[in-house]
Amino acid sequence: MTNSKKPNFIIIVADDLGFTDTAAFGGEIATPNIKRLADSGLRFTDFHTASACSPTRSMLLSGTDNHIAGLGQMHEFAQRIPERFKGKPGYEGYLNFKVAALPEILKDAGYYNFISGKWHLGLSPEHWPGKRGFEKSFTLLPGAGNHFKYFPKDDKGEYLNFQLPLFEENGRKVDADSEIPEEYYSSDYFTDKFLEQLESKDRQGRPFLGLLTYTAPHWPFQAPAEIIAKYKGVYDDGPENLRRERLTNAIKLGIIPKGVDPHKVETQRDRAWKDLTVEERAVESRIMEIYAAMVEIMDTNIGRVLDKITELGELDNTFILFMSDNGAEGMMMEAMATTAERFKYFVSNYFNNQIDNLGKKDSFVWYSDQWAQAATAPYYMYKMWASEGGIRCPLIISHPNILPVEDVGAVKREFVTVMDILPTVLDLADIKHPAPQFHGRNVVPVKGATLAPYIRGETSRVHDEDKVTGWELFAQQAIRKGGYKALYIPKPMGSDKWQLFDLRVDPGETTDLAEKHPDILTELINHWSEYVAETGLVECTDIFY
């Protein structure tokens, strides 16, 4: 389809996918196409994102820290605390213009850029994908939405201010009622649009960047009944059993080293699995069956993309990356009073969660933090946490043209972050980052590093031992240098003091070394202060919870 020697790029983002959900990482869910990608590429087991959706996406497209790129805090939460965040640089609530976005840079170099799926980087038209370098787009603008076509309205005929069906296509607002087809299912439809964009005559032989950003398996858990039925009974033994099985499989695959001590499960819920009634267990199992179906459907659609790229004869020249945007969703929002009440109101009034209706278009369920910790084990906790369970995610990279034969299918334990993706793409495309000036505005340089020499087998490291990386969202803070990580989780969620962990031997963050190595902790806390100053981070440990 193209004679260009420039590589193509496909970046596929799953939404709230757990670390061990897929077969390639030790899971039981039928995901042969993700495994197919892993078998032809590299799996990374020390890949880090932000602990939530939009901040990760801002880092992906900017190559820098979310507190610089405009999503210093998820906008949905920052707007509730205007006295702390309003008007602060880096907290605009959209991908700001202090960064040169990846598609903007590639567009200037002759690339054809397109995106289908979740955006979550700005609701206003001036912040839509077309304004950031995408030539074609079909996106759900907010952070979540129904997976089937069910967009309830209030008594006045207005859409609920809850999972608003705000779609845009090529810079035009889509009328959800008339333009979204009745048979709409998110993963299928986003892939349909992606393939349309890929094969558009407007490409005109140019190399391309395609983003496929699924809303699966983010809540609400919904899927076709025939796929759900494939998992009937699979989860009847509960989350603790699932956790053990996945850990065992992940160790066999080399995803998790032998001898790692998993962090113990901590739950915000009143009762553990063993304390539930038979009926309650049936509901919980059903919810997990729906989740598994969502992951399988996403995988099936990824297979459609791989098949099309192969059919077009472009597989060897296409860099394909698959990732999750954060750890599995343990619904920590249940622990936040205002959010919990809001969810309860809308779900109870506009959705039907009787067990026979679960998974259908007008149901609205999510799984418990116990299931989430089955997916993030051996790591501590899940999405919205600065612990490893919230920020360590599955990553697969495949690029037949540059991957050494001996590395095909390998598992890599190298520390990498989502900020490394932009510089990697630019390196492979032989394009220089434009900082400090781009399109007449000042832009920041990237904080990430290219993975290209590492993928080629030319180097043994991506970052040296002196590399310092920080994280902060929802008042939780972390700073890492080499294998050591300092973690601060305020009350009531945590100890309200800095802890120290050696992730090289304790990735489960089970043994606090703060008293044993006070000098290392002091150094990391000093790095934290530097990180705050460098990024403009607004600390909020005193007010968030």
Side-chain angles (χ1 to χ4, degrees):
M1 192 169 179
T2 175
N3 295 318
S4 172
K5 293 182 180 179
K6 290 278 191 180
N8 304 311
F9 300 95
I10 294 176
I11 297 174
I12 304 170
V13 183
D15 200 352
D16 295 355
L17 184 76
F19 188 78
T20 57
D21 280 347
T22 66
F25 280 77
E28 74 296 331
I29 301 174
T31 45
N33 295 295
I34 294 171
K35 186 176 185 300
R36 168 181 165 193
L37 194 61
D39 288 345
S40 66
L42 302 174
R43 281 167 286 177
F44 288 81
T45 63
D46 201 3
F47 169 65
H48 286 72
T49 64
S51 67
C53 326
S54 52
T56 291
R57 293 160 202 272
S58 74
M59 296 161 80
L60 169 65
L61 291 186
S62 70
T64 193
D65 190 275
N66 58 292
H67 301 91
I68 295 171
L71 276 300
Q73 192 61 251
M74 280 187 68
H75 183 61
E76 295 89 331
F77 291 88
Q79 65 185 355
R80 300 178 193 176
I81 315 174
E83 66 275 13
R84 189 62 61 94
F85 300 116
K86 187 175 181 181
K88 298 294 175 63
Y91 289 80
E92 293 87 354
Y94 56 84
L95 185 66
N96 66 28
F97 293 91
K98 289 167 56 179
V99 303
L102 176 59
E104 290 179 302
I105 301 169
L106 292 180
K107 181 179 180 180
D108 284 2
Y111 269 75
Y112 168 64
N113 306 315
F114 54 97
I115 179 173
S116 180
K118 176 173 168 176
W119 178 238
H120 207 193
L121 289 173
L123 295 177
S124 300
E126 62 269 26
H127 305 136
W128 288 2
K131 301 298 185 181
R132 303 314 301 263
F134 287 104
E135 189 170 331
K136 300 280 187 183
S137 62
F138 178 86
T139 60
L140 174 70
L141 294 167
N146 239 44
H147 296 282
F148 289 112
K149 186 177 181 180
Y150 174 67
F151 311 133
K153 298 179 179 180
D154 60 22
D155 294 340
K156 298 178 181 179
E158 301 290 333
Y159 289 124
L160 304 180
N161 187 23
F162 181 75
Q163 292 207 125
L164 285 165
L166 301 178
F167 297 91
E168 68 79 34
E169 185 166 23
N170 301 331
R172 178 186 64 83
K173 184 177 179 181
V174 171
D175 183 279
D177 284 342
S178 63
E179 296 184 66
I180 300 298
E182 294 304 314
E183 66 274 15
Y184 169 83
Y185 184 76
S186 64
S187 295
D188 296 339
Y189 199 69
F190 291 148
T191 307
D192 290 345
K193 289 292 184 180
F194 183 88
L195 294 176
E196 286 178 16
Q197 294 163 346
L198 172 64
E199 296 195 275
S200 170
K201 60 180 175 54
D202 295 331
R203 179 184 169 191
Q204 298 179 335
R206 290 174 286 171
F208 68 82
L209 166 71
L211 264 67
L212 180 52
T213 51
Y214 290 111
T215 51
H218 195 295
W219 47 254
F221 294 173
Q222 300 165 338
E226 64 272 17
I227 310 299
I228 298 171
K230 295 170 67 173
Y231 294 92
K232 185 173 178 58
V234 171
Y235 302 103
D236 286 355
D237 290 333
E240 292 180 12
N241 185 71
L242 179 64
R243 193 174 197 251
R244 284 191 297 270
E245 290 179 348
R246 287 194 177 181
L247 282 169
T248 299
N249 290 336
I251 290 169
K252 287 179 181 177
L253 291 173
I255 299 297
I256 298 169
K258 293 180 180 178
V260 166
D261 187 13
H263 200 286
K264 65 181 178 66
V265 173
E266 296 179 6
T267 180
Q268 306 292 330
R269 295 205 165 177
D270 295 334
R271 293 179 295 158
W273 175 264
K274 63 182 177 60
D275 302 317
L276 301 181
T277 66
V278 172
E279 292 77 14
E280 288 169 332
R281 290 187 183 188
V283 170
E284 291 279 317
S285 296
R286 175 70 170 180
I287 290 171
M288 190 63 203
E289 291 163 11
I290 301 164
Y291 177 89
M294 293 174 69
V295 175
E296 178 177 329
I297 294 166
M298 178 181 67
D299 178 87
T300 299
N301 280 289
I302 290 171
R304 294 172 61 199
V305 174
L306 298 180
D307 289 346
K308 179 56 66 175
I309 293 296
T310 302
E311 176 190 321
L312 295 173
E314 301 201 72
L315 183 65
D316 286 348
N317 193 41
T318 302
F319 171 98
I320 304 176
L321 182 148
F322 172 79
M323 60 174 278
S324 180
D325 61 348
N326 45 248
E329 167 68 278
M331 208 57 183
M332 193 174 84
M333 287 185 288
E334 289 182 325
M336 298 179 180
T338 55
T339 305
E341 285 302 312
R342 186 169 182 271
F343 263 74
K344 183 178 178 181
Y345 170 78
F346 285 112
V347 171
S348 62
N349 283 280
Y350 295 95
F351 294 86
N352 173 12
N353 282 343
Q354 295 295 315
I355 188 169
D356 291 342
N357 199 61
L358 296 184
K360 296 181 181 178
K361 67 179 184 179
D362 59 341
S363 67
F364 194 112
V365 290
W366 55 88
Y367 62 25
S368 75
D369 57 5
Q370 294 150 311
W371 292 109
Q373 288 171 87
T376 60
Y379 311 118
Y380 179 40
M381 300 308 270
Y382 40 79
K383 178 181 178 179
M384 297 177 72
W385 287 71
S387 53
E388 291 298 287
I391 60 176
R392 190 183 293 223
C393 298
L395 170 69
I396 299 171
I397 291 176
S398 176
H399 191 355
N401 268 2
I402 69 168
L403 194 63
V405 173
E406 62 271 18
D407 270 353
V408 173
V411 174
K412 298 292 187 179
R413 305 194 189 284
E414 181 68 7
F415 171 69
V416 294
T417 82
V418 67
M419 293 182 286
D420 298 330
I421 295 172
L422 179 145
T424 300
V425 170
L426 295 186
D427 189 358
L428 292 172
D430 195 23
I431 298 169
K432 188 177 184 297
H433 190 275
Q437 282 281 320
F438 182 66
H439 289 188
R441 66 183 195 264
N442 293 327
V443 296
V444 298
V446 299
K447 289 178 67 67
T450 177
L451 302 174
Y454 182 81
I455 294 171
R456 292 191 188 102
E458 298 167 356
T459 60
S460 60
R461 302 296 302 269
V462 175
H463 301 285
D464 63 33
E465 286 292 313
D466 291 328
K467 174 70 175 179
V468 176
T469 305
W471 294 265
E472 185 276 339
L473 280 175
F474 316 113
Q476 298 195 11
Q477 304 172 168
I479 194 85
R480 174 172 171 169
K481 180 181 178 183
Y484 283 104
K485 174 183 173 183
L487 176 66
Y488 179 88
I489 301 176
K491 291 180 179 179
M493 299 296 175
S495 64
D496 209 35
K497 64 180 181 180
W498 282 101
Q499 298 172 286
L500 177 67
F501 302 100
D502 184 351
L503 299 180
R504 292 166 296 191
V505 296
D506 182 27
E509 295 168 308
T510 63
T511 304
D512 183 3
L513 302 175
E515 293 185 5
K516 185 176 181 180
H517 297 299
D519 53 332
I520 296 175
L521 181 59
T522 297
E523 180 190 357
L524 285 171
I525 293 173
N526 289 337
H527 283 306
W528 172 260
S529 298
E530 294 167 357
Y531 172 66
V532 170
E534 176 190 352
T535 60
L537 187 158
V538 178
E539 295 185 272
C540 56
T541 57
D542 58 324
I543 62 172
F544 203 90
Y545 299 109

